[in-house]
Amino acid sequence: QKEVEQNSGPLSVPEGAIASLNCTYSDRGSQSFFWYRQYSGKSPELIMFIYSNGDKEDGRFTAQLNKASQYVSLLIRDSQPSDSATYLCAVLSNSGYALNFGKGTSLLVTP
Amino acid sequence: DTGVSQNPRHKITKRGQNVTFRCDPISEHNRLYWYRQTLGQGPEFLTYFQNEAQLEKSRLLSDRFSAERPKGSFSTLEIQRTEQGDSAMYLCASSFPAGGAYNEQFFGPGTRLTVL
């Protein structure tokens, strides 16, 4: 079982809608979780991190963490065509250094 | 520009040749990481430096790969006797000294390696 799993998509949402991206992880002891956005041909860009159960909001983005169910999600409100990218979920390893990434979910926001 | 920088941005080489990549982290960051990303996959961790000390290496880092950070500032990643399977984007990231539970890592633009 891969440590971090994401649906590869593509996830297609209309402009202005809420995009919901999900991620599950296998190590119950994981403490820190990150969402990165990656445009085609570019490097990952950090959007948010979360380490406590519940919701964390930053502008149009909300990260949600449920450690009991071992999933973390990212909500993007008022989706824009410029949000079209691959969203990578990453979990900090037990060493505290390495990030374990999922394969990413491709998001397409249609005008 | 105060972000992570990497050079070269693109490298095309023939199988069997050696290549070296350079990463300059954000100036106040003492932690530096190397990752590799292939098409359709997330980045995979290769190695980690805290200052000049290499503290963690992935099993992905075969004996053909070597990384250094001699003065605790920039880092180099060398691949000897390149193979076609080495073709990938090589990403460098750095993070604040605080690390710990957060360890927010910021990535450079990457070096895209193509082995012919």
Side-chain angles (χ1 to χ4, degrees):
Chain A
Q1 180 187 5
K2 190 166 172 57
E3 295 183 44
V4 182
E5 301 218 33
Q6 297 180 257
N7 188 322
S8 60
L11 173 66
S12 183
V13 300
E15 183 175 357
I18 297 175
S20 178
L21 304 157
N22 300 312
C23 169
T24 59
Y25 59 95
S26 59
D27 186 347
R28 186 171 289 277
S30 298
Q31 296 293 320
S32 300
F33 308 87
F34 303 81
W35 282 100
Y36 286 82
R37 177 175 63 196
Q38 187 171 30
Y39 293 111
S40 180
K42 304 296 185 181
S43 63
E45 173 192 6
L46 181 64
I47 299 175
M48 293 187 70
F49 70 89
I50 187 168
Y51 62 95
S52 295
N53 275 328
D55 295 0
K56 179 182 179 181
E57 186 174 320
D58 184 0
R60 295 188 296 114
F61 299 96
T62 299
Q64 299 175 317
L65 174 61
N66 184 323
K67 290 185 179 180
S69 300
Q70 295 176 240
Y71 83 78
V72 56
S73 62
L74 180 70
L75 301 179
I76 307 175
R77 290 182 300 281
D78 188 23
S79 295
Q80 301 297 309
S82 59
D83 294 326
S84 298
T86 295
Y87 289 80
L88 296 162
C89 173
V91 179
L92 190 63
S93 69
N94 289 336
S95 71
Y97 308 133
L99 289 175
N100 296 316
F101 284 86
K103 290 186 177 182
T105 297
S106 175
L107 174 66
L108 177 63
V109 181
T110 56
Chain B
D1 185 356
T2 58
V4 178
S5 62
Q6 292 187 246
N7 287 288
R9 297 290 302 277
H10 304 272
K11 179 70 177 178
I12 300 174
T13 191
K14 293 182 178 179
R15 184 166 51 94
Q17 297 295 304
N18 299 342
V19 294
T20 299
F21 310 139
R22 175 176 171 134
C23 170
D24 288 88
I26 295 171
S27 59
E28 63 268 28
H29 289 185
N30 73 337
R31 296 185 172 193
L32 186 148
Y33 314 80
W34 285 99
Y35 291 81
R36 179 175 68 188
Q37 187 176 24
T38 54
L39 195 63
Q41 304 295 317
E44 296 176 298
F45 172 77
L46 293 178
T47 191
Y48 156 71
F49 290 86
Q50 182 166 312
N51 299 311
E52 65 276 8
Q54 188 174 20
L55 298 185
E56 189 172 349
K57 291 195 296 185
S58 164
R59 65 183 185 281
L60 294 175
L61 211 66
S62 76
D63 56 4
R64 296 187 299 107
F65 288 70
S66 62
E68 294 183 342
R69 195 183 183 197
K71 298 182 179 179
S73 56
F74 72 90
S75 175
T76 59
L77 177 68
E78 180 184 17
I79 309 175
Q80 296 181 328
R81 305 181 303 280
T82 53
E83 302 173 355
Q84 288 184 325
D86 297 330
S87 296
M89 174 80 87
Y90 289 84
L91 295 161
C92 177
S94 68
S95 68
F96 285 111
Y102 312 134
N103 201 10
E104 301 161 70
Q105 297 182 22
F106 299 90
F107 283 86
T111 295
R112 183 169 296 283
L113 172 66
T114 301
V115 181
L116 302 176

